[in-house]
Amino acid sequence: MNIETRSDALTGNEPQVPSWSGLVERVRAGDPSGLEQLYAVFVKGVRFFLWRQFGPQDLDDKVHDVFLIITQSIQRGELREPERLMGYVRTVVRRQVAAHIDSAVAARRTQQSLDPAMTLSDREPDPERRVLEKENQDVAMRMLGALPKRDREVLIRFYLQEQTAEEICRELNLTHTQFRLIKSRAKARYGELGRRRLSQRAGFRRT
Amino acid sequence: MELLAFGIMRDIHCHADAEDLESYSMGASSVEETARIEEHLLICEDCRDRLQQGEGFLNSMQVAARQWRRDEKALKRRGWKIPAWLPVLAAACALVLVVVAVRAVRSTGPAVAVSLTALRGNGAGSIGPARRELSLQPDLTGLADVPAYRLEIVDQTGRPVRLAALPRTQGAVAVPGLAAGQYFVRLYLPAGNLLREYGLEIR
């Protein structure tokens, strides 16, 4: 666990991106290096979004479908503003997600037997993941228990009751800086407890 | 950058800050902010990692906070819960209070004069109220003339329950209240000779 706060947010090391217009031009021209670069730039991001929505089932096929759609539409000249390539990719991914969910819902409504290709995958975590989540929850619980009452109330209101920062600050008479400080301290403490747990586990393995 | 034309958007190639990622995870970002973050996430592995770490924290916090609230409520309920034995205890206390009060009221009343005339064997004898102070006035006719007699009250098993001195000149003795039952009042000479025994029924 390594949770960052605004103060220690990532700086520098921004992703290296090509010239979108040049890339689009090469894809449009059918240049294999263009297709390759398009794939290299976006494949992880596209996989990431599709995995978040559907899990690992048929992930490669879905990623492939997205790239097919993007490539074909670029080659048909449908992307009029090459600088908007990222937005376009995002839109295609979202449409694909929506379309897949629609067809899965329709299939469930009309079919008695479930076609695995048309179902939304079970997103239940595997046992190992479940154990990890339980450990993280224990860490969060310990962290909550060690906090002063007001700080704990802030976190519960924000993360559980989903009150806005403004509401919390108003009701608990806090400044926005205090609010952010409470949150960032909690995240830092959570990260610290998590790291300690991991190091304890590593020590256990060595013996 | 074209996106900056929207005014509210920052450069897509700059990393998202933790607060923005958190808002995004919680579904609290605006449409424009969501677009900016998602477009950045498409090309930035660092921010994808940070998003996942942040979501791990968020999920853990939500579960822990929910559990904390549940525990708080349970604790509060336990704090205010009336134990099952409390009504029984309260009823018992009330009963004891009533009994004590009744006894107190009865025992604080004026002494009731009871003339003792009937001897043992002639029926139950004189009658007096329970739990009230009694002023016993035995019939002393024909008894030896001594300054004072010894007066003893025994229950029907012969167990002494009261003892007093009865001055001949007063002819009466005050005795603390007795429970309901059959008693016998014995009159002795100071030397211990039994002179007379009266029946006394307390109701």
Side-chain angles (χ1 to χ4, degrees):
Chain A
M1 270 176 286
N2 182 21
I3 309 297
E4 290 167 35
T5 60
R6 190 182 288 266
S7 57
D8 60 356
L10 269 184
T11 51
N13 200 22
E14 263 83 26
Q16 295 297 308
V17 291
S19 152
W20 297 129
S21 51
L23 176 61
V24 169
E25 196 50 52
R26 282 187 289 144
V27 171
R28 193 175 287 160
D31 181 348
S33 71
L35 292 171
E36 202 176 307
Q37 190 173 22
L38 181 75
Y39 193 83
V41 169
F42 288 111
V43 67
K44 285 185 182 173
V46 170
R47 281 182 74 86
F48 174 77
F49 280 109
L50 293 176
W51 180 84
R52 279 165 70 86
Q53 295 290 334
F54 304 123
Q57 195 178 27
D58 300 327
L59 191 55
D60 288 337
D61 290 347
K62 288 175 185 128
V63 172
H64 179 76
D65 288 348
V66 166
F67 275 98
L68 207 59
I69 292 168
I70 293 168
T71 310
Q72 287 174 348
S73 62
I74 289 174
Q75 287 174 343
R76 283 196 300 266
E78 289 171 7
L79 178 60
R80 292 190 189 88
E81 296 176 64
E83 292 302 327
R84 290 288 298 125
L85 178 61
M86 282 201 302
Y88 185 68
V89 172
R90 171 179 172 263
T91 303
V92 171
V93 171
R94 286 172 77 96
R95 279 189 196 148
Q96 281 298 96
V97 168
H100 186 80
I101 291 171
D102 280 350
S103 51
V105 170
R108 198 168 292 162
R109 214 179 284 142
T110 54
Q111 294 173 7
Q112 285 296 317
S113 60
L114 294 174
D115 176 0
M118 298 299 285
T119 58
L120 293 175
S121 62
D122 180 9
R123 299 300 309 278
E124 277 294 297
D126 56 53
E128 194 179 349
R129 179 89 206 147
R130 206 173 295 145
V131 169
L132 193 68
E133 283 178 2
K134 177 74 178 68
E135 284 179 352
N136 289 343
Q137 286 155 16
D138 291 344
V139 167
M141 196 69 181
R142 238 183 314 146
M143 189 264 299
L144 271 184
L147 285 176
K149 193 177 175 192
R150 186 196 65 172
D151 292 9
R152 185 166 53 239
E153 186 63 24
V154 167
L155 296 178
I156 291 176
R157 283 175 182 229
F158 186 71
Y159 289 113
L160 180 66
Q161 294 165 218
E162 298 192 355
Q163 279 193 332
T164 63
E166 289 69 29
E167 283 171 332
I168 295 170
C169 288
R170 194 177 54 243
E171 289 174 18
L172 298 183
N173 203 21
L174 296 171
T175 64
H176 200 71
T177 306
Q178 285 174 309
F179 172 78
R180 272 180 24 200
L181 202 62
I182 288 169
K183 272 204 308 159
S184 65
R185 273 200 304 245
K187 286 179 185 178
R189 180 76 183 134
Y190 175 81
E192 186 191 318
L193 288 172
R195 278 192 297 276
R196 201 179 295 169
R197 195 196 66 220
L198 285 176
S199 65
Q200 280 167 354
R201 189 186 289 169
F204 180 73
R205 275 187 190 146
R206 274 197 296 276
T207 58
Chain B
M1 185 111 218
E2 189 182 345
L3 290 170
L4 291 173
F6 287 98
I8 52 171
M9 291 191 185
R10 278 165 273 185
D11 190 337
I12 268 171
H13 298 149
C14 291
H15 293 297
D17 69 35
E19 297 247 342
D20 290 343
L21 287 176
E22 189 175 72
S23 294
Y24 173 73
S25 294
M26 295 174 80
S29 301
S30 64
V31 174
E32 293 81 8
E33 193 65 9
T34 299
R36 185 187 72 81
I37 291 171
E38 288 186 346
E39 287 176 26
H40 179 74
L41 288 171
L42 271 174
I43 55 166
C44 183
E45 191 154 14
D46 288 336
C47 284
R48 288 198 293 267
D49 289 344
R50 290 166 63 229
L51 178 73
Q52 286 188 303
Q53 286 165 3
E55 287 183 343
F57 172 76
L58 179 65
N59 292 337
S60 302
M61 278 301 299
Q62 284 176 334
V63 173
R66 195 172 294 120
Q67 182 64 43
W68 191 275
R69 276 283 194 257
R70 262 203 300 265
D71 291 351
E72 268 182 344
K73 278 183 189 167
L75 203 65
K76 221 175 265 181
R77 268 202 303 274
R78 268 206 298 278
W80 287 100
K81 195 178 169 186
I82 298 170
W85 49 264
L86 194 63
V88 178
L89 182 69
C93 287
L95 192 65
V96 168
L97 276 175
V98 168
V99 169
V100 167
V102 167
R103 284 184 182 186
V105 166
R106 283 189 179 175
S107 63
T108 54
V112 176
V114 178
S115 296
L116 299 173
T117 50
L119 299 179
R120 186 169 189 163
N122 294 343
S126 305
I127 296 170
R131 308 288 173 198
R132 295 285 300 273
E133 191 182 31
L134 301 173
S135 175
L136 297 179
Q137 297 165 1
D139 176 12
L140 303 177
T141 312
L143 293 181
D145 191 6
V146 290
Y149 302 99
R150 188 159 66 88
L151 186 142
E152 183 186 57
I153 303 175
V154 298
D155 64 15
Q156 57 185 342
T157 67
R159 184 175 61 91
V161 293
R162 298 283 187 272
L163 197 62
L166 172 62
R168 169 107 191 167
T169 50
Q170 289 184 10
V173 64
V175 173
L178 291 164
Q182 182 64 53
Y183 297 89
F184 299 101
V185 180
R186 292 170 181 168
L187 222 50
Y188 296 90
L189 283 174
N193 310 68
L194 180 61
L195 299 174
R196 198 170 280 174
E197 188 178 54
Y198 308 91
L200 174 63
E201 186 185 355
I202 298 295
R203 293 179 179 166

